[in-house]
Amino acid sequence: SSEAPKTDGGQTGGDKKIVVGFVTDTGGLGDQGYNDAVYSGITKASEELGFEVKMVESKEIGDYANNLRAVFNDGADVAICAGASFADAVVQVANEYPDKTILAFDAEVDGVANVVSSMFKEEEAAFVLGAFAGLVTKTGTVGYIAGVESPLQERAKNGFEAGFMTTNPTGKVIGIYAGTYNDVGKGKEIANTLYTQGADYVASFAGACNLGVFQAATDAGEGKYALGAALGQFDKNPEKIIASQVKTVDLSVYNALSEFISGKSSAGITTRGINEGGVDIMYNPNTELVNTVASDEILAQVDAIRTQVINGEIKVPLTKEDLAAFNK
Amino acid sequence: MDKIKKTCSELKMPLIAIAFAFVFGSLLILSTGKNPIEAYSALFRGAFGSPAAISQTLNKAIPLIFTGLSVSIAYQCKSLNIGGEGQLVFGAFGASLVGVYLKGLPMLVHLPLAILAGFIFGGLWAVIPGLLKIKKDVNTVISTIMMNYVAFSVVSFLINTYFKADKSDFVAMNWVETTARIPFIQNGGLRICIGIIFAIIAAIILRILLQKTVLGYEIKAVGGNQNASNSNGISSKKNILISLIISGGLAGLAGAMDILGNSGKLYDGYNPGYGFDGIPIALLAKGNPVGVILTALLFSVLRTGAVTMQTSVGVSRTIVDAMQGVIILFIAAEYIFTIYKKARLNRTKMIEEKKLEGAQ
Amino acid sequence: MTYAIEAINVCKYFGNLKANDDITIHVEKGTVHAICGENGAGKSTLMNVLYGLYLPTAGHIRINEEDVSLKNPKDAIERGIGMVHQHFMLIQNLTIAENIVLGQETGTKLFLDRKKAIKEVEELCEKYNLHVDPKARVDEITVGMQQRVEILKALYRGVDLLILDEPTAVLAPQEIEELFENIRLLVSKGKTVIIITHKLNEVLEISNRISVLRLGKLIGTVNTNEVDESKLTQMMVGRDVVLGGRERKETIKKDEVLKIENLSLTKGHHKALDEINIDVKSGEIVGIAGIDGNGQSELIEIVSGLLKHYTGEVEVNGENIKRKNVRKVRADGLGYIPEDRHRDGLVLDYSVAENMILGQHYHEPFAKNYFLKFNAINDFAEQNIKDFDIRTMSKDSLASTLSGGNQQKIILARETCNKPKFILASQPTRGLDVGAIEFVHNTLVEARNNEQGILLVSFELDEILALCDRLYVFHMGKVVGELKKEEFDVEEIGKMMLGLREAKANG
Amino acid sequence: MISIEAIILMTISTAVPLVFASLGGVLSERSGVTNIGIEGMILFGAFCGMAVSYFTKNPVLGVIAAAVGGGLLALIHAFISISCGGPQAVSATGITLFSVGITSFGLRLIFNRAGNSDPVAYLPTTEIFRDIPVIGKYMANFSPLLYLAIIVGVGIWYLFRHTPLGLRIHTVGENPKVAETLGINVWRIRYWCVIVSGMLAGLGGAYLSLGQMNLFQENMSAGRGYLALAAVILGRWKPLGVIAACLFFSVFDAIQLQLQATNMTGLSPTILSAIPYVVCLLVLAFSFGKSKAPAANGKPYLKKQG
Ligand SMILES: Nc1ncnc2c1ncn2[C@@H]1O[C@H](COP(=O)(O)OP(=O)(O)OP(=O)(O)O)[C@@H](O)[C@H]1O
Ligand SMILES: Nc1ncnc2c1ncn2[C@@H]1O[C@H](COP(=O)(O)OP(=O)(O)OP(=O)(O)O)[C@@H](O)[C@H]1O
Ligand SMILES: [Mg+2]
Ligand SMILES: [Mg+2]
């Protein structure tokens, strides 16, 4: 674990103000996913705890290490980064700067003294959301848009399908990879296709493409809805997004930062599922809207499933094989 | 002496263009309420301010030099290779294959093999557009664009399936063996990848190839006039294909350098954009290999510096992107001056001729 | 006497180059006025000034005795000036009718009335007795017809003054005669014609007055009936010129350097070459006479080794070339002077020296172990520049900066200096002035005297008659006649070229 | 089951920006100026459209602004490649780089954040068609820009087929010298063709930010400009051919997504996504006859006034 610097955040004159560095992944800010969520967590923490933020947007994976070095060289005490592909760069730079700390999210780094690694069980939230979708669908068909094929995306997608099948064994999930995280237009076209093919809910887990999905839900008209991701995204289309598989990266970032500042952070991996408050299903704050499609019984049913996931009665499948086995 | 003079006059316009771009950039910076002088000093500090900064600037230039050379050689033969990115990705894949799966070789064997693999894979990826061009007269622009997309998909697929790392939460190949990693010169803050030397050597080789060899003569002849070349026993098809293969190979080398030097492993979704950057770099350098080194360095200075500009002054890197565009536009417009000058040169030549004839 | 157009003290400078230097010419209405001069004398430039393509640096233009300022061709067209340019100004993939109406289209702004265009062109053809098929595409018709289209283009715009810049270079004798008929018809209808040509006999035949330019200056304007060829030549180049090469030696003619048997080539649906039999021996110049587009280009492509999908046998220097590539054919003793120097002969962005080794750049002494040997190349280039009297600033000047005649000399030097057994020369003097032509002719005849064999393709019948020991006449891809020097007869050959007559096959 | 209906609808709506951009490409290239800067012009158009709609709350003004923005960038390209006789590929690359930088910068300037803009007023769909039997319900779902694209396509086809101006543009692209000798102003025609080409690319951008979506996103052109360029070549520089080429790309993209959705092939989505490009290469490899670019395409024409 790292040595904690003074916690007063430089409010008092002479003390050095803490500097937090933030290196985005190649999605950059505005990706509607990690980076935005992380940034909102950092902003919140900086407002409350008072520290300076230095940010670098990465253009490619090969730059990660250099950008981490850059924020450290520029005076950062702690660096934050989010994205699975950061793992190698984090290890490398953490070793070069033993007196600095890296808070890594989604990047699995173990056994490095100055790296705090936070992982999430996206599949759990996805599973519960899938179960919800299975219950509320009127057409028996729901759509799912993923970004670019990757283990994390597969995990979430499989979790969703498995959840759906538990509550709606006769229905079907149409899953499509957009092949990109940042083509809103394509996201919309794919969602349109899914709605045309009878899906009444489309779950979106494809970064900025999600914005396209939400727009498509409006165009598709009555009875068509979307399911969001990230921090809920309800503000992106309050009328159409009923529920979301949220990943509370912002909260994790906030917590990790305050732990760091108070000197309590500990190195190693923490994995957060629903139980640990890392991921969850979240409903549109407009309860009336939620109730128009989901009765209280349905919500109770979903809640029961959620509890089963939490206490391990349901083991959420991770891979395609797991999923096939699960569905049997 | 004459050479120095010539170089000076050749450098004049690019320098003016760069100056204009900086003026333009300051307007943008001012519009955000920041101080341009502060921003630019951060930019230069980030690019040159410390041994670490200098190392980064040089390291960043490595793949850019290779892709710049790649576009140059194809351009000498009048094909516009927009497919550098795909060739780069494929070259990176080839280098990784050799770097990861060949084990137990000494570095002196392993590293050259891995680099060679980068060249061969990149070159192979350019063979298809080359064949389409010479067999079917398919425009290289369109075929290389298509081949980019195909390369991304194919390599991504291969990394996701057969060549996936043993354990990883994000998709990548395994680490390249240390015997295939390009060494760094480390000294204090200095951390310079030997790849920069390879890049400079490649530029020199290319210059020699173009200026001093039969092959270079033929490639340029075909670029200058395909019909005349064919009529004089220089096969335009052969040379177009060869120049595209070398071009693809160089782009592949850019990928190899990046993987074997910089990142150490090939990630899924690897397309760093250097292949596209090669186009303005080569065109700015007017296809001159030595010029490519300079323009690549310019780009890398701007980009490396942009990071510091962002961290310490909070000025976004997008300004640097726009400035790169402005530099290129000014250079393109510069042709109005060179053409004017050339015309004048020709006229004075004609006058001399007339005098000669008149003296008869 | 009224003047149709006058150039008054016209100067046109390109930078410091005085392409036209204080030129004053008065062209009388209803006459044919010829402009003569060497290459680069400034003829085309002056015409371009009259047509509004160039603004004069100084001086002005009068049309119908009225000062005018022509800012662009549009102004000129409006004042009844038409010009047929040295290089045809036609769009290959458009129809004749479209080409003719272009710029003054029939119909409305929003609708191009093609039917009306065709009708108007047909009427025009009728009126001036110039026949073309308005619906045919330009790339499907012969050069002679293209020439007619160019004239129709001018007439369609209602010209009073027609400028013809070297209109006869590509025509057969009969076509030239036909063109002259048309010129006379135009003049009889009150139109005025300015004509540029390098062929002095034509000048004397068609014109009323002649202006001679040299190095951008007007040497003088004379009445045609007051001069003869030698006087004109003197005015143009300042000395006498002998075309057709100097003395011809008796040669042995023993080796067969080219032998073609039953050569046929199908192009699309028609036969570009049809059962051709030709042979050339060392020590003779054999000509191919014929109008452009009758199979000559294809023949050349085949003999030079470029084109392979023919049937029949082609032997160069005793070896079949079917399986040889261009480089091998050339290396085994073929010099090739292509018809279009810019397209096939030179890399214009290469220096004189680099062009001088094109095709020989890969072997000793110019290259060794894949590397170029610059000392050898430079020596070679300098030697040739001296031997062939090539006017260039230096061996390092770009070929594009040389005048056409000097560019041609680079090719000539390259293809003849190492004395290949067989020289394939296609249009070696196209567009050159008499001085340059004299040089080319001398070079070719010298090669012949030196026991080299030469196949000469030319659309200039005069050239063929002057240089060749033997000739074949081509028409529609067939050999329609073979004649020995003593049987040469302009009338006969002209008729054969037009397919009007077939000579009995030479036995 | 593969849904033909879904494929058709998706094909049509993804083709719209491509059609605009590649029709622009046709115009510019037929006049003799290559335009590989289309990508940048689309992006800039998308941005200008969004920005104006954001400030005026009027999407129609936004669409106009998109066209103007694309046109302005094209004007720079025209100046460099026509008046300066500069290398067209360089100019176009500069335009694209500039556009990427300036739009991202502008986004941060206006909204103080990266990624995407706030939602803005966007174009309504064409509800007036809803009452047409059978197809009305589909037609009503499309953006009016789709119909504009069709009109522009037919217009450009008509332009080249039936108008004097079309004939002149063709001439300028084939042989500018001929055009000049006939009193046609080569530069003026080229300038307008390039500018209109940029305006059309800008409209393609407007479709992305105001028709399909209601916001601007960084790099939202996502390579469509290059695809449009490919379509110009594949469609052999003919307006209708080029539209067909755009539909070709879109339909294969739609098909590959359908194949994913139905999971019929068992192939990885990554491989499936390459289908449109592979098919395009195959078409080029096996197509009969050579495609011929306008003869003077890419060659500067410097006026001969000494
Ligand atoms: N646009 C131009 N810029 C510079 N120099 C030019 C230009 N046009 C012509 N010249 C030069 O002006 C001179 C006159 O050229 P011009 O074309 O008028 O000659 P010409 O008498 O028509 O020759 P030819 O017999 O070859 O047709 C030449 O030296 C030529 O190189
Ligand atoms: N801008 C220029 N700079 C230098 N030389 C030029 C320029 N423009 C034309 N020339 C040269 O001037 C000569 C005449 O050019 P022009 O375009 O008038 O050709 P032309 O008269 O139609 O044909 P020809 O060259 O056969 O006489 C050519 O040899 C050409 O190379
Ligand atoms: Mg002339
Ligand atoms: Mg001339």
Side-chain angles (χ1 to χ4, degrees), chain A residues 96-170:
Chain A
E96 290 169 24
Y97 295 81
D99 52 342
K100 312 262 184 180
T101 303
I102 300 180
L103 308 178
F105 298 86
D106 280 317
E108 203 169 356
V109 178
D110 205 1
V112 183
N114 53 341
V115 177
V116 182
S117 162
S118 308
M119 301 297 293
F120 301 88
K121 292 183 187 160
E122 287 84 2
E123 65 278 11
E124 293 189 355
F127 184 93
V128 179
L129 189 70
F132 173 77
L135 289 169
V136 292
T137 176
K138 296 253 173 359
T139 59
T141 304
V142 303
Y144 188 98
I145 301 182
V148 181
E149 227 185 340
S150 78
L152 192 155
Q153 290 270 330
E154 273 292 293
R155 239 167 47 207
K157 188 164 163 266
N158 293 334
F160 184 86
E161 289 191 24
F164 181 87
M165 289 304 167
T166 46
T167 57
N168 195 341
T170 57

Side-chain angles (χ1 to χ4, degrees), chain A residues 43-93:
Chain A
T43 324
K44 186 159 163 257
S46 103
E47 275 159 15
E48 288 177 17
L49 308 171
F51 49 77
E52 192 190 331
V53 181
K54 290 185 182 288
M55 184 186 71
V56 182
E57 291 182 68
S58 302
K59 226 186 150 205
E60 62 231 43
I61 297 178
D63 282 348
Y64 287 169
N66 282 337
N67 290 346
L68 283 169
R69 292 187 190 109
V71 292
F72 284 144
N73 292 343
D74 224 47
D77 305 290
V78 54
I80 293 180
C81 55
S85 44
F86 264 103
D88 298 324
V90 165
V91 175
Q92 203 178 341
V93 178

Side-chain angles (χ1 to χ4, degrees), chain C residues 44 86 165-166:
Chain C
S44 298
Q86 192 165 356
D165 193 349
E166 292 198 35

Side-chain angles (χ1 to χ4, degrees), chain D residues 47-59 61-62 106-107 109-111 119-121 210:
Chain D
F47 179 80
C48 293
M50 176 281 297
V52 167
S53 174
Y54 174 75
F55 287 115
T56 64
K57 312 263 180 296
N58 184 339
L61 285 184
L107 185 70
L109 199 63
I110 300 176
F111 299 100
V120 297
L210 298 176

Side-chain angles (χ1 to χ4, degrees), chain B residues 47-122:
Chain B
F48 305 114
S50 64
I54 294 174
S55 316
Q56 265 188 47
T57 305
L58 289 178
N59 294 344
K60 186 111 203 153
I62 300 169
L64 294 178
I65 294 175
F66 276 106
T67 54
L69 294 177
S70 155
V71 176
S72 293
I73 176 94
Y75 205 61
Q76 295 284 351
C77 214
K78 290 282 145 54
S79 342
L80 189 55
N81 178 9
I82 302 194
E85 189 71 5
Q87 293 143 13
L88 174 145
V89 169
F90 221 66
F93 178 67
S96 307
L97 275 188
V98 173
V100 172
Y101 292 97
L102 280 185
K103 291 187 201 302
L105 293 175
M107 181 178 235
L108 273 179
V109 180
H110 199 181
L111 180 56
L113 273 183
I115 293 176
L116 185 69
F119 186 88
I120 292 175
F121 272 66

Side-chain angles (χ1 to χ4, degrees), chain B residues 16-36:
Chain B
I16 293 176
I18 293 166
F20 266 109
F22 272 91
V23 172
F24 175 80
S26 14
L27 295 181
L28 294 189
I29 296 170
L30 279 174
S31 75
T32 62
K34 301 264 161 58
N35 180 347

Side-chain angles (χ1 to χ4, degrees), chain C residues 17 46 64-65 74 98 135 238 248 301 342 380 416 429:
Chain C
L17 174 79
L46 181 64
N64 295 326
E65 323 236 310
K74 216 172 155 180
E98 285 168 333
K135 280 174 279 194
R248 299 166 81 87
E301 275 191 60
H342 286 179
F380 177 74
T416 59
T429 60

